[in-house]
Amino acid sequence: MDEVSPQNSLEKALAKRLEERLANSKFRKLTVAAPGSVDFSSNDFLSLSTSSTLRSAFVDELSRHPNFPLGSGGSRLLDGNSQYALDLENEIVSFHGASAGLLWNSGFDANSGFFACVPQPGDIILYDELIHASVHDGMKLSRAGRKIAFKHNSVDHLRKTVQALKEEDVYVGKGPKNVFVAVESVYSMDGDLCPLKELVECIEEALPYGNGHIVVDEAHATGVIGPLGRGLVSQLGLEKKVFARLHTFGKGLGTSGAILLCSPIVRSYLINYARPLIFTTSMPFINLAAIKASYSLLQSGVTEPLVSHLQMLTSHLHTQLLRMLIRYTRPYESINDTLHVSPLRPQSPIFALLTKHPRSLAAHCQNAGFVVRAVVPPTVPTRRVRVCLHAGNTVDEVDRLVRSIESWVRDRIGVASSPAVEELEKARL
């Protein structure tokens, strides 16, 4: 923590809280990656933010509008709207097979705005226990009567929760009371996919009067999953089964902003009641042009080879990690306390390296020139190092990352390199 003396009683109280967080290894601070480091941390899955192809498409789009304004001038309800923004919304809506959509400055604004105003008094919100913080912030402001978590990705627990609600309240089972179900298509910290098809079937069966409304956050799926990167909802053909879905542009698409796909009535309602939209200066033209340029790459199929390469790297990293861990697992022993990697086939380019010592592992990798981040409670329930792969990464970079992790594992468990291991490492160098 910065060595600055508190100036008054309030700052003393704040400093005490910060010291407590520091003592519990939960202190957050802003950092900058060392120059030349290899990115295994950012959400720039397709490496578009540094892509010359996207940059050229963006510059071309700007050249078609040489007199573009640098700022938007206000919120979209005042002077910040434009025909360009409306046309872009319609283009994205059409691409994702939706009926309407609304642009937002960020996915956080969209989630918090939606859940704060759309659920009506007495309605119920059921949410996956690992749902994003933006949904939690929206629920805190919501007029919904109850907000209930269900076990992560457990359709069975969701079904039991809905059944219990129906037994408690006849208005749930008969339809007047709405039940919102909040999930993510790809979960940001573990990288696992929502069992969305089964979840939709569960809600349709349990709430046959149509009062079950599924809201899917596609932030980490956009550009990476589904036909031309349309997301998991489109991949499963569930466009008509989902009440609303959020696509963000600051991850796979390499720009910034978001769109909430919904019905025309919900769009109009959000324009009238969603405070993060009403009282925020809208995105300027340059942001909109970047979004349009990124979507042009999706629509033309330019990103498909990037997705294929990313999938190959994902499989390769998983295989190499498992092989590495097997080398240090003796009969009847486990190194899971030191490092655990799920044996299941990864569903996304996000890896959770579970360990009781995430800061140590992250620092070791960072010193070796790799950008990875330790993620600890309260951000997540289980300590881990989060690794994200990108289309711009190479097989060699992945292999060097695994070797760095392996050297840390050896140090932690006190295993010196055997001649066989040393020969193997020489062969890999």
Side-chain angles (χ1 to χ4, degrees):
M1 195 169 70
D2 296 337
E3 295 295 330
V4 179
S5 299
Q7 298 298 307
N8 51 53
S9 59
L10 173 59
E11 287 197 350
K12 288 179 181 178
L14 299 180
K16 182 179 179 181
R17 293 294 302 275
L18 290 173
E19 289 167 0
E20 292 171 355
R21 174 159 281 199
L22 183 63
N24 293 325
S25 298
K26 296 179 180 179
F27 186 75
R28 297 183 176 110
K29 61 181 179 180
L30 300 178
T31 61
V32 177
S37 298
V38 180
D39 179 15
F40 283 111
S41 174
S42 79
N43 292 318
D44 186 19
F45 302 123
L46 298 181
S47 300
L48 289 182
S49 72
T50 56
S51 163
S52 59
T53 303
L54 177 56
R55 187 178 292 110
S56 295
F58 171 60
V59 171
D60 289 346
E61 184 64 20
L62 293 182
S63 68
R64 285 189 280 271
H65 305 270
N67 297 318
F68 65 85
L70 293 179
S72 65
S75 79
R76 290 191 71 186
L77 271 76
L78 297 177
D79 303 299
N81 196 27
S82 65
Q83 189 60 49
Y84 190 91
L86 294 172
D87 291 343
L88 178 60
E89 274 180 345
N90 290 332
E91 180 181 331
I92 297 173
V93 164
S94 177
F95 177 75
H96 289 285
S99 57
L102 188 62
L103 288 169
W104 301 72
N105 287 9
S106 71
F108 198 105
D109 282 353
N111 267 337
S112 60
F114 177 93
F115 284 98
C117 74
V118 174
Q120 300 298 294
D123 286 348
I124 299 166
I125 302 174
L126 305 180
Y127 60 95
D128 188 289
E129 63 182 347
L130 298 186
I131 201 70
H132 193 263
S134 55
V135 175
H136 283 279
D137 278 20
M139 290 192 294
K140 288 177 182 177
L141 299 173
S142 175
R143 297 168 297 167
R146 299 178 68 181
K147 300 101 174 181
I148 305 170
F150 60 91
K151 293 179 182 178
H152 177 55
N153 274 352
S154 175
V155 176
D156 184 58
H157 190 230
L158 174 62
R159 182 181 293 106
K160 291 177 180 177
T161 302
V162 175
Q163 184 59 39
L165 289 170
K166 289 168 63 177
E167 292 172 359
E168 293 174 12
D169 190 340
V170 66
Y171 292 111
V172 173
K174 296 299 183 181
K177 191 169 287 188
N178 297 299
V179 178
F180 292 83
V181 181
V183 296
E184 298 178 30
S185 57
V186 178
Y187 284 87
S188 60
M189 288 295 134
D190 292 284
D192 52 339
L193 268 60
C194 171
L196 191 57
K197 183 175 182 292
E198 294 80 3
L199 188 145
V200 168
E201 292 171 351
C202 168
I203 293 301
E204 287 185 337
E205 178 183 343
L207 300 171
Y209 289 91
N211 57 321
H213 308 296
I214 299 170
V215 183
V216 184
D217 185 336
E218 295 255 41
H220 292 83
T222 308
V224 178
I225 290 177
L228 297 179
R230 287 183 173 92
L232 183 63
V233 171
S234 291
Q235 178 173 291
L236 299 175
L238 299 174
E239 293 92 339
K240 305 299 183 184
K241 303 282 189 177
V242 168
F243 184 74
R245 47 191 157 129
L246 173 69
H247 288 275
T248 63
F249 314 137
K251 298 178 175 63
L253 299 194
T255 59
S256 64
I259 191 168
L260 191 68
L261 303 175
C262 54
S263 71
I265 290 177
V266 172
R267 181 181 185 274
S268 182
Y269 189 88
L270 290 167
I271 290 171
N272 279 273
Y273 289 99
R275 296 171 70 84
L277 178 84
I278 297 169
F279 298 104
T280 301
T281 299
S282 63
M283 288 186 287
F285 176 84
I286 54 174
N287 289 61
L288 301 176
I291 295 165
K292 184 176 178 65
S294 193
Y295 264 94
S296 73
L297 300 188
L298 294 188
Q299 292 169 327
S300 64
V302 169
T303 58
E304 289 297 276
L306 302 179
V307 173
S308 296
H309 180 66
L310 185 60
Q311 291 171 343
M312 181 276 292
L313 289 179
T314 300
S315 178
H316 181 72
L317 174 59
H318 186 245
T319 299
Q320 295 303 103
L321 286 172
L322 292 184
R323 286 177 177 174
M324 180 269 291
L325 291 176
I326 289 173
R327 286 199 290 273
Y328 298 95
T329 301
R330 301 182 182 88
Y332 311 110
E333 292 185 14
S334 171
I335 65 167
N336 281 351
D337 286 346
T338 301
L339 183 67
H340 174 72
V341 176
S342 173
L344 300 177
R345 179 178 177 273
Q347 299 174 300
S348 77
I350 302 170
F351 285 72
L353 308 184
L354 302 181
T355 174
K356 292 182 178 179
H357 316 283
R359 296 190 189 280
S360 171
L361 174 56
H364 183 90
C365 293
Q366 289 163 6
N367 290 335
F370 304 106
V371 184
V372 298
R373 307 289 183 188
V375 189
V376 300
T379 303
V380 291
T382 308
R383 296 178 181 182
R384 83 275 309 278
V385 168
R386 181 177 185 261
V387 173
C388 287
L389 294 175
H390 314 94
N393 290 134
T394 66
V395 171
D396 177 67
E397 289 170 346
V398 170
D399 289 343
R400 288 192 287 120
L401 173 65
V402 173
R403 289 200 291 272
S404 178
I405 296 170
E406 181 175 1
S407 69
W408 177 84
V409 168
R410 284 207 307 266
D411 290 344
R412 295 299 305 188
I413 64 177
V415 174
S417 292
S418 67
V421 171
E422 289 178 354
E423 288 301 317
L424 180 62
E425 289 183 347
K426 289 179 182 178
R428 288 186 291 165
L429 289 174

